[in-house]
Amino acid sequence: MPDSLYPAANPPALAERLAQVRARSLALAEGLSPEDMVVQSMPDASPVKWHLAHTTWFFETFVLGPQAGQPPLRPEWGYLFNSYYEAAGPRHPRPRRGLLTRPPVAEVLEWRSLVDRRLMDFLAQDPSAEAQALIELGLNHEQQHQELILTDLKHLLSGNSLMPAYRERPEQEPSPAPPLGWAEHPGGLAEIGWDGKGFAFDNEGPRHKVWLEPFAIADRPVTCGEWLAFMADGGYRDPSLWLSDGWAAVRAEGWEAPAYWRRDEDGGWVQFTLAGERPVNQAEPVAHVSLYEADAFARWASAQWTGARLPTEAEWEMTVGGRKPTGGFADAWRFHPQPLTGPSWWGEVWEWTGSAYLAYPGFRPAEGAVGEYNGKFMSGQMVLRGGSCATPEGHVRPTYRNFFPPAARWQFSGLRLARDLE
Amino acid sequence: MPDSLYPAANPPALAERLAQVRARSLALAEGLSPEDMVVQSMPDASPVKWHLAHTTWFFETFVLGPQAGQPPLRPEWGYLFNSYYEAAGPRHPRPRRGLLTRPPVAEVLEWRSLVDRRLMDFLAQDPSAEAQALIELGLNHEQQHQELILTDLKHLLSGNSLMPAYRERPEQEPSPAPPLGWAEHPGGLAEIGWDGKGFAFDNEGPRHKVWLEPFAIADRPVTCGEWLAFMADGGYRDPSLWLSDGWAAVRAEGWEAPAYWRRDEDGGWVQFTLAGERPVNQAEPVAHVSLYEADAFARWASAQWTGARLPTEAEWEMTVGGRKPTGGFADAWRFHPQPLTGPSWWGEVWEWTGSAYLAYPGFRPAEGAVGEYNGKFMSGQMVLRGGSCATPEGHVRPTYRNFFPPAARWQFSGLRLARDLE
Amino acid sequence: MPDSLYPAANPPALAERLAQVRARSLALAEGLSPEDMVVQSMPDASPVKWHLAHTTWFFETFVLGPQAGQPPLRPEWGYLFNSYYEAAGPRHPRPRRGLLTRPPVAEVLEWRSLVDRRLMDFLAQDPSAEAQALIELGLNHEQQHQELILTDLKHLLSGNSLMPAYRERPEQEPSPAPPLGWAEHPGGLAEIGWDGKGFAFDNEGPRHKVWLEPFAIADRPVTCGEWLAFMADGGYRDPSLWLSDGWAAVRAEGWEAPAYWRRDEDGGWVQFTLAGERPVNQAEPVAHVSLYEADAFARWASAQWTGARLPTEAEWEMTVGGRKPTGGFADAWRFHPQPLTGPSWWGEVWEWTGSAYLAYPGFRPAEGAVGEYNGKFMSGQMVLRGGSCATPEGHVRPTYRNFFPPAARWQFSGLRLARDLE
Amino acid sequence: MPDSLYPAANPPALAERLAQVRARSLALAEGLSPEDMVVQSMPDASPVKWHLAHTTWFFETFVLGPQAGQPPLRPEWGYLFNSYYEAAGPRHPRPRRGLLTRPPVAEVLEWRSLVDRRLMDFLAQDPSAEAQALIELGLNHEQQHQELILTDLKHLLSGNSLMPAYRERPEQEPSPAPPLGWAEHPGGLAEIGWDGKGFAFDNEGPRHKVWLEPFAIADRPVTCGEWLAFMADGGYRDPSLWLSDGWAAVRAEGWEAPAYWRRDEDGGWVQFTLAGERPVNQAEPVAHVSLYEADAFARWASAQWTGARLPTEAEWEMTVGGRKPTGGFADAWRFHPQPLTGPSWWGEVWEWTGSAYLAYPGFRPAEGAVGEYNGKFMSGQMVLRGGSCATPEGHVRPTYRNFFPPAARWQFSGLRLARDLE
């Protein structure tokens, strides 16, 4: 990671931010039992305890070691809590993270606090710009894991027939979705990507030119009500709507609704949320759909809106990215998309785009081990833009590139329609 | 289960036994964290919490409900803690038992104690002989799960590179194995199976005649020292020693030693035990070998002892079964086979036999839902006889039939040689 | 294989038999295209060309080489046509036998005829008893492959929606099944296994004593009509009838009828046969059922006949084995079980027994490479007795032990009921 | 497919072309046995007979039926030879195409000739422009299958340890690779995609603008000699060179060289070709590498050429696409890349690009069932440009978009380097 990638904050501000971000991770774990924190529900997900430990390992390995000359406090844990950094040595296999009943939660928390102390002490010594940049990277990294804590926990709890709640949430009245409007863009030569101000991940740059054809983009995400119409119209049964791989997934997985949806005893649809099982609310943005489902929905919707499709990431950035987020960032503790009452820009659900996750022209991974952070995943995944009800406040930006494989459904992933203009 | 299968103990004695057995399960869990108790390390194994809950569910479902007319205290948990009883309704899938972070350990323990209270109250009311027989069955069932708690926990902890200990145990001096002697049997018509005295599982009867040819059986199990010789002689690399399915397993799984063995940095062999990693002791009975490995070892040993093979279960019962166990039943808390110093009969390791697990002539499963206990597993498994260092004291008998698939290695399974006499 | 295992025929008689058996293999391939002969439809099955080549390889490898000192004519084909003999070197993987488009059928047939010529010349030189015994073994081996040619071909053709016929066969009038009678046996000490007269495989001996309890055995196999009643009564939907592994297979494979059965457009049941698709005839012995299905059927039938179950192989040999086969051996070209008109002993379908395929007491595999013939498969399989409509005339005997895994259905495998007598 | 997509040739010219293309398919099958033509070596490949039948089915289903009102000659074969057209009804599962021993090759060839006759008669009746366009599509479709016939056959024959040759080819003297030169491009706004002249597939349009940064592109593909250097330098063992999915493939598949390469007994590298096994020639373009391998090679090469990477498809089209192919199109019967002697543009091997296979802006699939031809595969695949030694002469163009999953290796797929200019 070139230290020129983003300007260092001044150390005192960074210390305050460090305290805040690290505390929020712990706050997310409040009320969870050690049992809730140790189990891994699928190879793609990780236990809460592992997230808390891995983010700490990240600071020890990439900051305190190389920048502060401090060897790890728990060297024997390095093998357990390295995620995928080949340069940092061998590691515990990802699908077996749930076997790690030891060290117990209490020891991990104690270690977290010792590492925090060391980081604070290090910040008090006016560290180099590079060191500060790495701490900033670590904080952004931790925020990503905060969202994963929530999505992984949701997946875990959903596998329990008791349908347990993580956090209580008041019931909401059902409401209709607002009408759909379109924002138009005339096309032409545009510039996207990180402009050099503030923090960004390496994959958001370099800033570069793209040519856009005229297009329109919806003024809100697709809602559960619209999704119910897609389902009622046989959307999950008509192969002509689906990509070939998508149709194979529908049949292999038996998909007939978004993840976490279930038809209840009365024939209505309910969804598992982090507050337990709730009726599907038509006004909510739909979440937990795969790229395949989002793409099929758009094809279905083109009967109503000619040429409906997913936006490219450049289209999204030039339109939605320029709007003020209307999502839940001000209150990052809802953990469920809010019902819409009018136009809604980004922040409720991650929005699948039609763009493959590939390098921007001239992209170079950050240098050193953190160069493995993003670049090596540029294969087989699709870009999502925006941010979700589970994204920490202040974490995302218009240039932010999230990415997941096209079949993934356990994230808060929804969609927004676009269409060509003549 | 016909109530005639075994005579009821008198209620006060049964109450004392109930208290004892149930307390031992809890004692096994002492010192474990909730994390240790919730994780499932493979589909064949179950979490400790699940074992504690399932054994309680067994009493509620098969005793307190039908015999005492008491509906379950936690009806919504029935789905979670039924193991395989189709007659008791649908159930949580076995490979996903490790997802059950809720109910937490504390609630399961509270429920256990409420159910114990109800059972004690019920016993005080002089219940029917059938009810007492079912309680006795439940206690034997619980003892089986006590051994599984240990084997499943061993498997779980072995997956952690920290090599954590469950219980500390003093180091032992290495010692040589005693020489091998042979006990001879003249053959002829013999009778095996449960003789109607005391408790037995349905699969141990009916008692019936079998014809035996003259044979000899070893006076102790095969030791780790002998196993090292088998390994050094290329035992894991010579297909002519192996059953076809066994050789396929060797290649697919990469077996080159018993489960839990590892070559350490100095080239010596160490084994993971419930007291952490220890050097392999030549005088110990070998454990954690599959039927395939036991069978290959016997074929290899026939170069030294002509016709060496595994004994049949009838041969075992007519010889070893008549000896006093020399294993660890007096102290069921060692959790590791003891080094041998002379002839050793049963009790250190389960001993694979060459007999398939099938019904005895005239076998009928117990009536009712508990009829699913044993009979439906009479396919694809092999019989083990004896008992192990992890078997609760007083649980086994000479007619006891344990059974596992031929590739299973996570039990304390070893072997004893037999051979034909002219 | 000890040369004492079976007495050698005199060379001229053996030569005649050689000519006959080898010619029958070719006759089975008549009318097949090279395409029909090269394809492998599943890992358990082999292409017809492979069968023709492998049986030839067997004579070259185990007779002409070691006994006649003649190196193989096509040494480079040894790798392709060795089945499972580790002692004969590495081999082409079984699941990939269908990739062998070369050598073409014509070259294999030419090679067959050269090897036949060599064998004839060798027989004319009055070879040793051992050599003759090995030729006899080779002929019996070839006959086993003749049956496999038919079952493997049936499996292959059934995968083609054109439902092609291998051999035409006139339509049969539907007929009712004859009533079921029972033959009783008083039990006691009995002797089973090869008595030393004529050819037998090594696994049929040694002859040995077994103790039998009194039992009865049905005077004919289970018919398709009875199987339809089992199906109509929900036999495939009631877990209480099934072994645990069997029920898992029912659900995983979606079994709801024997293999090759299909409900036609009118709701009736039709079955694919080697003469194309035909209506299911109630009077025919049911075929193509697994051990699991046979076992479940017997449990279902015990509602009508108390204690109904599969016979053990000893029970079968002491009763059915002593009767004259009523099956199709006189005309080995029907390739489909005949409708029954009265008591029927063995020969229409292989009959699953309740016995695991294990070594008889004192069993030793034949010496040398042919020792791999039978012994190494004594694990995980069940014994079938009798013989089928696809078994070559003269191939089987009362002591013959066929064996397949309990889930196998592509053989002509049916069942005959037994039950305990008081 | 809009009939405006490409201008119709006049019918007589089309008839001549039809005769030529259809004859070439038959010529490719010359010398193959029916056995060679029926076997399927993996789910991704299809039998030669199936290719010959499917291309015929295409004309019957999309031309003779809807355009000429002629029902299919073999309606019962429709199920067998439909590839993936959901709109054309259910179909035989792709991984089981190798089971179709019937209809035999002879019947398929007879049917081909009847369909050809019908097409010729239809062309003589001055069919509509739409009909002519569909025939043109069918011819291009058939040419694609001609290349697949060769690649699928190569895969099949390579699975036979006899290493059989499809066509003999004279040995070549080893030669050194020519030096590598770079062609530069200044970047800027460019236009790519089909310009409306002559035939193109729907996925080649619409023509559209793209913005390019300055770049250079190599004047020849990467050679086997360079690949050997990559291997010798540990390219297959260094995770830092690989995409994450690529590294997982290296480990799961055990890749250590391109497909079809094998280290011979002397330690040199040989490769299986359609002329049998040959020494690897350093001057040949490397083929049969996956996108993952191509990408890793480029990263490795960036040590020598800063910023070396795969070109985007737009970069390729604007540079290489404008050159005259130097590949083997003039002689489409070599079936193996030629050694290079100087700059080489397209035509020896398909060249992986760094572009995901996605829709161009404004893309609409062709209308009707042929709309399934390309669009539904726009997920999870990468674009290859150029053409190979196995591509029929005249089939490809500068705008042609070939596509395969990133792990595919059985095509003649190689690569050409690009790099950024400041």
Side-chain angles (χ1 to χ4, degrees), chain B residues 94-370:
Chain B
R94 177 177 185 133
R96 302 171 70 79
R97 287 178 186 164
L99 300 189
L100 301 176
T101 64
R102 319 276 177 99
V105 167
E107 288 184 33
V108 166
L109 296 184
E110 188 193 340
W111 174 51
R112 271 185 76 91
S113 115
L114 292 172
V115 168
D116 284 348
R117 171 86 44 103
R118 283 187 162 195
L119 284 166
M120 286 300 194
D121 291 349
F122 179 52
L123 273 172
Q125 292 156 33
D126 197 14
S128 72
E130 185 188 356
Q132 290 181 56
L134 283 163
I135 291 174
E136 184 59 45
L137 179 66
L139 293 177
N140 278 274
H141 170 257
E142 180 133 359
Q143 288 180 313
Q144 292 183 312
H145 280 274
Q146 287 169 359
E147 179 150 3
L148 292 174
I149 282 175
L150 293 167
T151 55
D152 294 358
L153 193 61
K154 182 169 182 175
H155 188 266
L156 168 62
L157 296 177
S158 76
N160 191 320
S161 63
L162 302 176
M163 296 281 129
Y166 162 62
R167 296 278 188 265
E168 293 303 330
R169 188 164 57 93
E171 281 289 350
Q172 286 164 329
E173 287 300 300
S175 52
L180 184 69
W182 295 91
E184 303 200 347
H185 187 283
L189 206 55
E191 267 200 7
I192 65 165
W194 182 63
D195 63 3
K197 293 173 196 144
F199 175 83
F201 286 113
D202 57 359
N203 64 5
E204 297 174 49
R207 190 161 179 84
H208 63 287
K209 295 194 180 64
V210 292
W211 178 265
L212 300 177
E213 302 294 328
F215 68 97
I217 196 159
D219 70 354
R220 61 162 177 73
V222 168
T223 61
C224 289
E226 288 160 334
W227 204 269
L228 286 164
F230 167 69
M231 288 160 59
D233 197 34
Y236 281 96
R237 294 189 305 274
D238 178 359
S240 77
L241 298 173
W242 294 78
L243 289 166
S244 180
D245 287 352
W247 186 242
V250 167
R251 292 172 52 140
E253 307 294 332
W255 290 345
E256 50 179 26
Y260 301 129
W261 288 31
R262 182 176 73 82
R263 207 187 276 276
D264 73 7
E265 296 62 33
D266 308 328
W269 287 94
V270 293
Q271 57 179 326
F272 180 73
T273 76
L274 282 166
E277 210 165 55
R278 299 292 175 89
V280 167
N281 185 338
Q282 303 216 7
E284 281 175 14
V286 70
H288 301 299
V289 296
S290 62
L291 177 278
Y292 297 135
E293 289 162 288
D295 178 85
F297 180 91
R299 199 163 290 115
W300 172 78
S302 70
Q304 178 171 3
W305 294 292
T306 305
R309 55 172 173 80
L310 298 179
T312 65
E313 61 173 323
E315 289 170 342
W316 191 96
E317 187 169 325
M318 295 306 296
T319 52
V320 187
R323 304 294 185 120
K324 194 175 147 48
T326 50
F329 296 142
D331 168 13
W333 298 90
R334 283 186 291 105
F335 311 142
H336 196 72
Q338 285 296 296
L340 304 182
T341 56
S344 168
W345 304 104
W346 41 304
E348 291 294 348
V349 289
W350 287 101
E351 300 179 9
W352 285 109
T353 71
S355 299
Y357 177 53
L358 294 172
Y360 282 168
F363 168 74
R364 295 279 188 291
E367 274 177 35
V370 295

Side-chain angles (χ1 to χ4, degrees), chain A residues 114-308:
Chain A
L114 293 172
V115 168
D116 283 348
R117 170 87 44 104
R118 283 186 161 194
L119 285 166
M120 286 299 195
D121 290 350
F122 180 53
L123 273 173
Q125 292 154 32
D126 197 14
S128 71
E130 184 186 357
Q132 292 181 54
L134 283 163
I135 292 175
E136 184 60 44
L137 179 64
L139 293 177
N140 278 274
H141 170 257
E142 180 134 358
Q143 288 180 314
Q144 293 183 312
H145 280 273
Q146 287 168 359
E147 179 151 3
L148 292 174
I149 283 176
L150 293 167
T151 55
D152 294 359
L153 193 62
K154 182 170 183 174
H155 189 266
L156 167 62
L157 296 178
S158 76
N160 191 320
S161 63
L162 303 177
M163 295 282 129
Y166 161 62
R167 294 278 189 266
E168 294 302 330
R169 188 166 56 95
E171 282 289 348
Q172 284 163 330
E173 286 301 301
S175 52
L180 185 70
W182 296 90
E184 303 199 347
H185 187 284
L189 206 54
E191 266 199 8
I192 65 165
W194 182 63
D195 63 3
K197 294 174 193 143
F199 175 85
F201 287 112
D202 57 359
N203 65 6
E204 298 173 50
R207 191 161 179 83
H208 63 286
K209 293 196 181 63
V210 292
W211 178 265
L212 300 177
E213 301 295 327
F215 69 98
I217 197 160
D219 69 355
R220 62 162 175 75
V222 169
T223 60
C224 290
E226 287 161 333
W227 204 268
L228 286 164
F230 169 67
M231 289 160 58
D233 197 33
Y236 281 96
R237 294 188 306 274
D238 178 0
S240 76
L241 297 173
W242 294 78
L243 289 165
S244 181
D245 287 352
W247 184 241
V250 167
R251 291 172 53 140
E253 307 294 333
W255 289 345
E256 50 179 27
Y260 302 128
W261 288 30
R262 181 176 74 81
R263 205 186 279 274
D264 73 6
E265 296 63 32
D266 309 327
W269 287 93
V270 292
Q271 57 178 325
F272 179 73
T273 77
L274 282 165
E277 211 166 55
R278 298 293 174 91
V280 167
N281 185 337
Q282 303 217 5
E284 281 175 13
V286 70
H288 301 298
V289 296
S290 62
L291 177 280
Y292 296 135
E293 289 161 287
D295 177 85
F297 180 91
R299 199 163 290 113
W300 172 77
S302 70
Q304 179 170 5
W305 293 293
T306 305

Side-chain angles (χ1 to χ4, degrees), chain A residues 34-36 38-41 49 76-77 79-80 92 98-105 156-157 159-162 164-165, chain B residues 34-36 38-41 49 76-77 79-80 92 98-105 156-157 159-162 164-165:
Chain A
E35 292 153 275
D36 291 331
V38 73
V39 170
Q40 177 177 35
S41 59
K49 181 174 78 177
E76 72 279 17
W77 295 1
Y79 180 83
L80 305 177
H92 188 80
L99 300 188
L100 302 175
T101 65
R102 319 276 178 99
V105 166
L156 167 62
L157 296 178
N160 191 320
S161 63
L162 303 177
Chain B
E35 292 152 276
D36 291 331
V38 71
V39 171
Q40 177 176 35
S41 59
K49 182 174 77 177
E76 72 280 17
W77 294 0
Y79 179 84
L80 304 177
H92 189 78
L99 300 189
L100 301 176
T101 64
R102 319 276 177 99
V105 167
L156 168 62
L157 296 177
N160 191 320
S161 63
L162 302 176

Side-chain angles (χ1 to χ4, degrees), chain B residues 55-93:
Chain B
T55 47
T56 304
W57 170 89
F58 190 97
F59 282 111
E60 268 208 333
T61 305
F62 298 125
V63 178
L64 291 177
Q67 301 291 329
Q70 295 182 346
L73 287 158
R74 301 280 181 273
E76 72 280 17
W77 294 0
Y79 179 84
L80 304 177
F81 299 129
N82 177 359
S83 53
Y84 55 68
Y85 295 86
E86 302 276 354
R91 74 215 71 92
H92 189 78

